[in-house]
Amino acid sequence: MTGLAKDARIFVAGHRGMVGSAILRLLQQQGYRNVLTRTRKELDLCDRHAVDAFFAKEKPEHIILAAAKVGGIFANNSYPVEFVRDNLLIQTNVIDAAYQHGVKRLIFLGSSCIYPRECKQPIREEYLLTGPLEPTNRPYAVAKIAGIEMCWAYNRQHGAQYLAIMPTNIYGLNDNYDLDTSHVLPALIRKCHEAKINGQKPVTVWGTGVPLRELLYVDDLAEACIFLLADDNAMTSLTAPEHLPIINVGYGEDLSIRELVKLVSEVVGFTGEIIFDSEKPDGTPRKLLDIGKITALGWKPKVSLREGIEESYHAYLFTQHHA
Ligand code: GDP
């Protein structure tokens, strides 16, 4: 089954990010010896010449493209230019350079927000482009949809094996805890923790608390990426030219923001009041992925939401103490 030699030259683009760093950790744990990485300072993925020079010199055989401009609902709303421009540049440069330099396999990471706002649930891969997108993250979503289309084009026209993985909301080690740009879970961990140590002050949660979100621990996503990349049969069938090369990776269950705050409060030990600020946007009402395709291949999530929140909180406390 394994099509990935331990000495294969695997380029993890975006290894400093939450997803890329989890993939790098797991590749190293699994004994891959030739993992290639570059920091943003060493290689600007928005710069095509630099990307070409890197590929010519290092000759990666496989690529996991986890580099992207990402952020929560507020960041997406505030910086539409960066979200559409940087993502288009990074993915265009890396995917085309991959082809030009003979890279056979590439994993492109997207997000569940590529699906229509009012999508039928749970969301199957073929629901892509069946309705209007959620406006708060449309620039990001449109860029990612273009990336999927690119993967498909190279598969069709050039027989490449470029696969787009669509994860649900991810959280875990190396998450972003900046309240202006983070996603909901790290924001809630930080808010509940700070409120607790300040004498159980009230916590303000954005929106109505009604939207539903599915959350997956980042190590589970990393495992899914390597699992797929290493499976010859799966890669061949998922990237066959006749269909969109896209596969969902999720937890399989969702919960409301209200329930999520309750869970985070329990883990953190926050017992104060919770206020919902309905002036702030709710975003998509629900985006639960159908994970039938990947579970049929033999992958399933291992880390429960409570365990994942506990791990994340411990990691958050550690970084607080060592800041
Ligand atoms: P989304 O999944 O793309 O909508 O991104 P987020 O993770 O940023 O937000 C998910 C949901 O959590 C939205 O309904 C937000 O309004 C809600 N939410 C509640 N409190 C917060 C918070 O403090 N930060 C963020 N980012 N979202 C929050």
Side-chain angles (χ1 to χ4, degrees), residues 192-193 195-197 200 263-272 313:
C192 290
H193 172 73
K196 180 183 88 168
I197 59 174
Q200 304 288 3
L263 193 54
V264 172
S265 304
E266 281 170 24
V267 170
V268 170
F270 169 68
T271 54
Y313 184 47

Side-chain angles (χ1 to χ4, degrees), residues 71-74 76 111-113 134 136-137 169 179-188 191 204-213 215 257 260-261 276-277 280-284 287:
I73 195 163
F74 187 72
N76 271 270
S111 151
S112 59
C113 70
E134 155 62 32
T136 52
N137 48 32
N169 296 41
L179 294 179
D180 287 336
T181 55
S182 72
H183 282 101
V184 60
L185 184 55
L188 294 180
K191 286 179 179 179
T204 302
V205 176
W206 296 352
T208 59
V210 176
L212 297 161
R213 289 293 182 274
L215 294 135
I257 299 300
L260 183 64
V261 187
F276 289 91
D277 176 5
K280 290 278 197 308
D282 268 345
T284 307
K287 43 179 174 179

Side-chain angles (χ1 to χ4, degrees), residues 106-262:
L106 177 144
I107 300 273
F108 170 64
L109 279 139
S111 151
S112 59
C113 70
I114 57 151
Y115 293 112
R117 174 186 157 84
E118 308 285 345
C119 203
K120 208 163 87 183
Q121 310 277 325
I123 304 171
R124 295 171 61 93
E125 288 84 352
E126 62 262 32
Y127 300 163
L128 185 71
L129 292 172
T130 55
L133 297 165
E134 155 62 32
T136 52
N137 48 32
R138 200 169 65 177
Y140 174 85
V142 167
K144 289 292 181 181
I145 293 170
I148 301 169
E149 198 65 39
M150 275 189 84
C151 289
W152 195 16
Y154 287 89
N155 295 349
R156 286 213 306 273
Q157 201 173 323
H158 298 304
Q161 293 192 346
Y162 297 169
L163 176 66
I165 293 187
M166 295 304 124
T168 190
N169 296 41
I170 302 297
Y171 69 98
L173 230 63
N174 290 331
D175 212 337
N176 169 18
Y177 285 88
D178 176 321
L179 294 179
D180 287 336
T181 55
S182 72
H183 282 101
V184 60
L185 184 55
L188 294 180
I189 289 177
R190 178 169 175 179
K191 286 179 179 179
C192 290
H193 172 73
E194 288 180 351
K196 180 183 88 168
I197 59 174
N198 288 318
Q200 304 288 3
K201 284 217 170 71
V203 157
T204 302
V205 176
W206 296 352
T208 59
V210 176
L212 297 161
R213 289 293 182 274
E214 177 191 20
L215 294 135
L216 181 72
Y217 193 59
V218 70
D219 289 7
D220 277 331
L221 171 61
E223 213 208 344
C225 292
I226 300 168
F227 166 82
L228 290 171
L229 187 64
D231 187 331
D232 286 341
N233 294 335
M235 283 302 285
T236 305
S237 69
L238 290 168
T239 60
E242 59 274 12
H243 56 72
L244 265 178
I246 167 173
I247 188 161
N248 291 338
V249 180
Y251 185 62
E253 283 171 34
D254 58 3
L255 79 174
S256 70
I257 299 300
R258 189 177 291 273
E259 290 167 317
L260 183 64
V261 187
K262 204 171 151 258

